Coordinates of all heavy atoms in Angstrom, one line a residue:
Chain W
V59 N 55.3 137.9 60.6 CA 55.1 139.3 60.0 C 54.6 139.1 58.6 O 55.2 138.5 57.8 CB 56.4 140.1 60.1 CG1 56.2 141.5 59.5 CG2 56.9 140.2 61.5
I60 N 53.5 139.8 58.3 CA 52.9 139.7 57.0 C 52.8 141.1 56.4 O 52.3 142.0 57.0 CB 51.4 139.1 57.1 CG1 51.5 137.7 57.6 CG2 50.7 139.2 55.7 CD1 50.2 137.1 58.0
E61 N 53.3 141.3 55.2 CA 53.2 142.5 54.5 C 52.0 142.5 53.5 O 51.9 141.6 52.7 CB 54.4 142.9 53.7 CG 54.3 144.2 53.0 CD 55.6 144.7 52.3 OE1 56.3 143.8 51.8 OE2 55.8 145.9 52.2
L62 N 51.0 143.4 53.7 CA 49.8 143.4 52.8 C 50.2 144.1 51.5 O 51.2 144.9 51.4 CB 48.7 144.2 53.5 CG 48.1 143.6 54.8 CD1 47.1 144.6 55.4 CD2 47.4 142.3 54.5
A63 N 49.5 143.8 50.5 CA 49.7 144.3 49.1 C 48.5 145.1 48.7 O 47.7 144.6 47.8 CB 50.0 143.2 48.2
P64 N 48.3 146.3 49.2 CA 47.1 147.1 48.9 C 46.9 147.4 47.4 O 45.8 147.6 46.9 CB 47.1 148.3 49.7 CG 48.5 148.4 50.3 CD 49.1 147.0 50.2
A65 N 48.1 147.4 46.6 CA 48.0 147.7 45.2 C 47.2 146.6 44.5 O 46.6 146.9 43.4 CB 49.4 147.9 44.6
F66 N 47.2 145.4 45.0 CA 46.6 144.3 44.3 C 45.2 143.9 45.0 O 44.4 143.2 44.4 CB 47.5 143.1 44.3 CG 48.6 143.2 43.3 CD1 49.8 143.8 43.7 CD2 48.4 142.7 42.0 CE1 50.8 143.9 42.8 CE2 49.4 142.8 41.1 CZ 50.6 143.4 41.5
A67 N 45.0 144.3 46.2 CA 43.7 143.9 46.9 C 43.4 145.1 47.8 O 43.3 144.9 49.1 CB 43.9 142.6 47.6
P68 N 43.1 146.2 47.3 CA 42.8 147.4 48.1 C 41.6 147.2 49.1 O 41.8 147.6 50.3 CB 42.5 148.5 47.1 CG 42.2 147.9 45.8 CD 43.0 146.6 45.8
N69 N 40.6 146.6 48.6 CA 39.4 146.5 49.5 C 39.6 145.4 50.6 O 39.2 145.6 51.7 CB 38.2 146.1 48.7 CG 37.8 147.2 47.7 OD1 38.1 148.4 47.9 ND2 37.3 146.8 46.5
H70 N 40.3 144.4 50.2 CA 40.6 143.3 51.2 C 41.6 143.9 52.3 O 41.5 143.5 53.4 CB 41.1 142.1 50.6 CG 40.0 141.2 50.0 ND1 39.3 141.6 48.8 CD2 39.3 140.1 50.5 CE1 38.4 140.7 48.6 NE2 38.4 139.8 49.6
A71 N 42.6 144.6 51.8 CA 43.6 145.2 52.7 C 42.9 146.1 53.7 O 43.1 146.0 54.9 CB 44.7 146.0 52.0
D72 N 41.9 146.9 53.2 CA 41.2 147.7 54.1 C 40.3 146.9 55.1 O 40.3 147.2 56.3 CB 40.2 148.6 53.3 CG 40.9 149.9 52.8 OD1 42.0 150.2 53.2 OD2 40.3 150.5 51.9
N73 N 39.7 145.9 54.6 CA 38.8 145.1 55.5 C 39.6 144.3 56.5 O 39.2 144.1 57.7 CB 37.9 144.1 54.7 CG 36.6 143.9 55.3 OD1 35.9 144.9 55.7 ND2 36.2 142.6 55.5
I74 N 40.8 143.8 56.1 CA 41.6 143.1 57.1 C 42.1 144.1 58.1 O 42.1 143.7 59.3 CB 42.8 142.4 56.3 CG1 42.2 141.2 55.5 CG2 43.9 141.9 57.3 CD1 43.2 140.6 54.5
R75 N 42.5 145.3 57.7 CA 42.8 146.3 58.8 C 41.7 146.5 59.7 O 41.9 146.6 60.9 CB 43.2 147.6 58.1 CG 44.5 147.6 57.3 CD 44.8 149.1 56.9 NE 45.9 149.1 55.9 CZ 45.7 149.2 54.6 NH1 44.5 149.3 54.1 NH2 46.8 149.1 53.7
A76 N 40.5 146.6 59.2 CA 39.3 146.8 60.1 C 39.1 145.6 61.0 O 38.8 145.7 62.2 CB 38.1 147.0 59.2
L77 N 39.2 144.4 60.5 CA 39.1 143.2 61.3 C 40.1 143.1 62.4 O 39.8 142.9 63.5 CB 39.3 141.9 60.4 CG 38.1 141.5 59.4 CD1 38.6 140.5 58.4 CD2 36.9 141.0 60.2
V78 N 41.3 143.4 62.0 CA 42.4 143.4 63.0 C 42.2 144.4 64.1 O 42.4 144.1 65.3 CB 43.8 143.7 62.3 CG1 44.9 144.1 63.2 CG2 44.2 142.5 61.4
R79 N 41.7 145.6 63.7 CA 41.5 146.7 64.7 C 40.4 146.4 65.6 O 40.3 147.0 66.7 CB 41.4 148.0 64.0 CG 42.7 148.5 63.5 CD 42.7 149.9 62.9 NE 44.1 150.4 63.0 CZ 44.6 151.3 62.1 NH1 43.9 151.7 61.1 NH2 45.8 151.8 62.3
E80 N 39.4 145.6 65.2 CA 38.4 145.3 66.1 C 38.7 144.0 66.9 O 37.8 143.4 67.6 CB 37.0 145.1 65.4 CG 36.9 144.0 64.4 CD 35.6 144.0 63.7 OE1 35.2 144.9 63.0 OE2 34.9 143.0 63.9
G81 N 39.9 143.5 66.7 CA 40.3 142.3 67.5 C 39.7 141.0 67.0 O 39.7 140.0 67.7
Y82 N 39.3 141.0 65.7 CA 38.6 139.9 65.2 C 39.3 138.5 65.3 O 38.8 137.5 65.7 CB 38.2 140.1 63.7 CG 37.6 138.9 63.1 CD1 36.2 138.7 63.2 CD2 38.3 138.0 62.4 CE1 35.6 137.6 62.6 CE2 37.7 136.9 61.8 CZ 36.3 136.7 61.9 OH 35.7 135.6 61.3
F83 N 40.6 138.6 65.1 CA 41.4 137.3 65.0 C 41.9 136.9 66.4 O 42.3 135.7 66.6 CB 42.7 137.5 64.1 CG 42.4 137.7 62.7 CD1 42.4 138.9 62.1 CD2 42.1 136.5 61.9 CE1 42.1 139.0 60.7 CE2 41.9 136.7 60.5 CZ 41.9 137.9 59.9
D84 N 41.8 137.7 67.4 CA 42.4 137.4 68.7 C 41.6 136.3 69.3 O 40.4 136.4 69.5 CB 42.4 138.7 69.6 CG 43.1 139.9 68.9 OD1 43.6 139.7 67.8 OD2 43.0 141.0 69.5
G85 N 42.3 135.2 69.7 CA 41.7 134.0 70.3 C 41.1 133.0 69.2 O 40.7 132.0 69.6
L86 N 41.2 133.4 67.9 CA 40.8 132.4 66.9 C 42.0 131.4 66.8 O 42.9 131.3 67.7 CB 40.5 133.1 65.6 CG 39.2 134.0 65.7 CD1 38.9 134.5 64.3 CD2 38.0 133.2 66.2
A87 N 42.1 130.6 65.7 CA 43.0 129.5 65.7 C 43.6 129.2 64.3 O 43.0 129.6 63.3 CB 42.3 128.3 66.2
I88 N 44.7 128.4 64.3 CA 45.1 127.8 63.1 C 44.1 126.6 62.8 O 44.0 125.7 63.6 CB 46.5 127.2 63.2 CG1 47.5 128.3 63.7 CG2 47.0 126.6 61.9 CD1 47.8 129.4 62.8
L89 N 43.5 126.7 61.6 CA 42.4 125.7 61.3 C 42.9 124.5 60.6 O 42.3 123.4 60.8 CB 41.4 126.4 60.4 CG 40.7 127.7 60.9 CD1 39.8 128.2 59.9 CD2 40.0 127.4 62.2
R90 N 43.9 124.6 59.8 CA 44.4 123.5 59.0 C 45.8 123.7 58.6 O 46.3 124.8 58.5 CB 43.5 123.3 57.7 CG 43.6 124.5 56.8 CD 42.6 124.4 55.6 NE 43.0 123.5 54.5 CZ 43.0 123.8 53.2 NH1 42.5 125.0 52.8 NH2 43.4 123.0 52.3
A91 N 46.5 122.5 58.4 CA 47.8 122.5 57.8 C 47.9 121.3 56.9 O 47.8 120.2 57.3 CB 48.9 122.4 58.9
Q92 N 47.9 121.6 55.6 CA 47.9 120.6 54.6 C 49.3 120.5 54.0 O 49.7 121.5 53.4 CB 46.8 120.9 53.5 CG 46.7 119.7 52.5 CD 45.5 119.9 51.5 OE1 44.7 120.8 51.7 NE2 45.4 119.1 50.5
D93 N 49.9 119.3 54.0 CA 51.2 119.2 53.6 C 51.4 119.6 52.1 O 50.6 119.3 51.3 CB 51.7 117.7 53.8 CG 53.2 117.7 53.8 OD1 53.8 118.4 54.6 OD2 53.8 117.0 53.0
N94 N 52.5 120.3 51.9 CA 52.8 120.8 50.5 C 51.7 121.7 50.0 O 51.5 121.7 48.7 CB 53.1 119.6 49.6 CG 53.7 120.0 48.3 OD1 54.2 121.0 48.1 ND2 53.6 119.1 47.3
F95 N 51.0 122.4 50.8 CA 49.9 123.2 50.3 C 49.8 124.5 51.1 O 50.5 125.5 50.9 CB 48.6 122.5 50.2 CG 47.6 123.2 49.4 CD1 47.9 123.9 48.2 CD2 46.2 123.2 49.8 CE1 46.9 124.5 47.5 CE2 45.2 123.8 49.1 CZ 45.6 124.5 47.9
V96 N 49.0 124.5 52.1 CA 48.8 125.8 52.9 C 48.5 125.5 54.4 O 48.1 124.4 54.8 CB 47.5 126.5 52.4 CG1 47.7 127.0 51.0 CG2 46.2 125.8 52.6
V97 N 48.8 126.5 55.2 CA 48.4 126.6 56.6 C 47.3 127.8 56.6 O 47.6 128.8 56.1 CB 49.5 127.0 57.5 CG1 49.0 127.4 58.9 CG2 50.4 125.7 57.7
Q98 N 46.2 127.5 57.2 CA 45.1 128.4 57.2 C 44.6 128.8 58.6 O 44.6 127.9 59.5 CB 43.9 127.8 56.4 CG 42.8 128.8 56.1 CD 41.8 128.3 55.0 OE1 42.2 127.5 54.2 NE2 40.6 128.8 55.1
W99 N 44.2 130.0 58.8 CA 43.7 130.4 60.1 C 42.4 131.2 60.0 O 42.1 131.8 59.0 CB 44.8 131.2 60.9 CG 45.4 132.4 60.3 CD1 44.9 133.7 60.5 CD2 46.4 132.5 59.3 NE1 45.7 134.6 59.8 CE2 46.6 133.9 59.0 CE3 47.2 131.6 58.7 CZ2 47.6 134.4 58.1 CZ3 48.2 132.1 57.8 CH2 48.3 133.4 57.5
G100 N 41.7 131.2 61.1 CA 40.4 131.9 61.2 C 39.6 131.4 62.3 O 40.1 131.0 63.3
D101 N 38.3 131.3 62.1 CA 37.3 131.0 63.2 C 37.0 129.5 63.1 O 36.4 129.0 62.1 CB 36.1 131.8 63.0 CG 35.2 131.7 64.3 OD1 35.4 130.7 65.0 OD2 34.3 132.5 64.4
P102 N 37.3 128.7 64.1 CA 37.0 127.3 64.0 C 35.6 127.0 64.3 O 35.1 125.9 64.0 CB 37.9 126.7 65.1 CG 38.2 127.8 66.1 CD 38.1 129.1 65.3
D103 N 34.8 127.9 64.8 CA 33.4 127.7 65.1 C 32.5 127.9 63.9 O 32.0 129.0 63.7 CB 33.0 128.6 66.3 CG 31.7 128.2 66.9 OD1 30.9 127.4 66.3 OD2 31.4 128.7 68.0
E104 N 32.3 126.9 63.2 CA 31.5 127.0 61.9 C 30.0 127.2 62.3 O 29.3 127.9 61.5 CB 31.7 125.8 61.1 CG 32.9 125.7 60.3 CD 32.9 124.7 59.2 OE1 32.4 124.9 58.1 OE2 33.4 123.5 59.5
A105 N 29.6 126.6 63.4 CA 28.2 126.7 63.7 C 27.8 128.1 64.2 O 26.7 128.6 63.9 CB 27.8 125.7 64.8

Side-chain angles (χ1 to χ4, degrees):
Chain W
V59 182
I60 296 166
E61 181 174 31
L62 295 174
F66 285 88
N69 299 329
H70 281 76
D72 277 347
N73 212 50
I74 289 168
R75 288 188 194 100
L77 287 167
V78 164
R79 285 188 156 148
E80 64 180 64
Y82 177 84
F83 291 101
D84 307 354
L86 296 185
I88 306 294
L89 304 180
R90 61 187 282 226
Q92 183 172 354
D93 200 56
N94 191 19
F95 193 41
V96 299
V97 165
Q98 187 166 336
W99 59 95
D101 192 343
D103 189 347
E104 283 193 86

